[in-house]
Amino acid sequence: MNTSLKYHALVTGASQGLGRALAEELARRGNNLLLAALPGTGLPELASSLEVRYNVSARFIETDLMRLEAPAELLQFARTNSIEVDILVNNVGIGHGGAIGDYTDSAIGESVFLNMRCTTLMTNTFREELCRRGRAWILNIGSFGGFMPLPYKSIYSATKSYIFNFSLAVREELRSHGVSVSVAMPGGIITNEKVRERVSKLGPLGKLNALEPDVAARHLIDRMFRGRSVIIPRFTMRTAYYIGCALPYRVLLALTGKIFRGIS
């Protein structure tokens, strides 16, 4: 186990999908880990596997980040166990879709709480810890959909737009404290079979731009350490961003509405 590096990377939503891939990529680079995810999602097994394969320390805490108290409990766990965090990866989130009026109360709550409140609380809670390091990193996971309103993904795109603006504002606030804040704005990432089905419904263009989690994780962590402010994986997605900026808003909304209608 690597004890020469006393600092740890804290990754939320670390047991599956992109979070798991981000944790693995950080471990591959020699970073010790503090992993957080729901109970019963294989977190102890993942931590043990990463320790063996990469010779790092991988601590974990099983918790529901929908709980208001969870970020403070994570901070207390870190302090109690002498875990010094220098990287915070706010990955946890959810991607409900549908027409407004069709959402359940729980779907709206999950979208707002996980995508917005959790990232905000985690950043606010760990801000002092990160500023103590002299050099630290925050990676917030947004979405390409956060660049524009998406009909039939209205709540999701709005929450990811919040993450985009929040991250860039906090980046400026923490610049003088040695904390680099990056926001990832990827297109589709194949985190599970449901997402794979959604991408298939988007047709050839959706499949072209989609990324497997390990590929996305390598790109995101590399750019995070380079201090990039906004990270958009794939040249095709960066091109799509500039095309979207050039289109009249009415045309853009009509196109995105046609793409996402019926995809939940």
Side-chain angles (χ1 to χ4, degrees), residues 51-101:
E51 285 190 335
V52 170
R53 287 187 290 133
Y54 297 107
N55 191 34
V56 298
S57 169
R59 308 295 296 275
F60 67 91
I61 180 168
E62 295 180 299
T63 185
D64 184 355
L65 287 164
M66 283 279 288
R67 297 170 50 250
L68 186 63
E69 304 84 5
E73 290 171 357
L74 275 167
L75 178 60
Q76 186 58 47
F77 178 88
R79 288 176 172 172
T80 300
N81 291 277
S82 300
I83 296 170
E84 298 182 49
V85 174
D86 71 333
I87 299 169
L88 172 61
V89 179
N90 286 311
N91 165 73
V92 70
I94 200 160
H96 292 299
I100 199 66

Side-chain angles (χ1 to χ4, degrees), residues 28-236:
R28 189 184 69 82
R29 291 167 178 258
N31 296 95
N32 295 321
L33 300 170
L34 173 55
L35 308 177
L38 285 168
T41 56
L43 202 56
E45 294 81 5
L46 173 62
S48 178
S49 172
L50 293 174
E51 285 190 335
V52 170
R53 287 187 290 133
Y54 297 107
N55 191 34
V56 298
S57 169
R59 308 295 296 275
F60 67 91
I61 180 168
E62 295 180 299
T63 185
D64 184 355
L65 287 164
M66 283 279 288
R67 297 170 50 250
L68 186 63
E69 304 84 5
E73 290 171 357
L74 275 167
L75 178 60
Q76 186 58 47
F77 178 88
R79 288 176 172 172
T80 300
N81 291 277
S82 300
I83 296 170
E84 298 182 49
V85 174
D86 71 333
I87 299 169
L88 172 61
V89 179
N90 286 311
N91 165 73
V92 70
I94 200 160
H96 292 299
I100 199 66
D102 292 342
Y103 289 94
T104 64
D105 290 347
S106 63
I108 293 172
E110 286 176 352
S111 296
V112 172
F113 291 169
L114 285 178
N115 294 357
M116 295 170 61
R117 190 181 73 171
C118 183
T119 293
T120 307
L121 285 172
M122 288 293 295
T123 305
N124 191 63
T125 299
F126 278 87
R127 182 257 187 206
E128 183 180 346
E129 287 289 310
L130 293 166
C131 287
R132 287 177 182 171
R133 304 293 166 255
R135 189 180 187 193
W137 296 264
I138 298 174
L139 176 62
N140 293 331
I141 304 301
S143 167
F144 192 81
F147 286 130
M148 66 199 79
L150 294 182
Y152 307 102
K153 296 280 284 185
S154 58
I155 298 172
Y156 176 76
S157 64
T159 62
K160 293 302 186 178
S161 179
Y162 170 88
I163 294 300
F164 174 72
N165 287 284
F166 171 74
S167 299
L168 295 184
V170 173
R171 178 183 175 88
E172 186 59 31
E173 290 180 24
L174 300 185
R175 184 188 301 274
S176 62
H177 298 277
V179 181
S180 175
V181 181
S182 301
V183 58
M185 304 294 280
I189 296 177
I190 313 298
T191 53
N192 53 52
E193 286 306 312
K194 188 173 182 180
V195 175
R196 195 178 297 277
E197 290 173 10
R198 288 177 189 162
V199 169
S200 295
K201 291 179 181 178
L202 294 175
L205 190 60
K207 294 177 183 178
L208 173 66
N209 291 320
L211 287 170
E212 294 295 335
D214 58 332
V215 177
R218 283 196 298 272
H219 184 95
L220 297 180
I221 296 300
D222 177 74
R223 270 53 174 189
M224 178 194 76
F225 281 129
R226 293 190 195 184
R228 298 285 177 83
S229 56
V230 181
I231 307 171
I232 308 174
R234 278 205 187 281
F235 173 78
T236 52

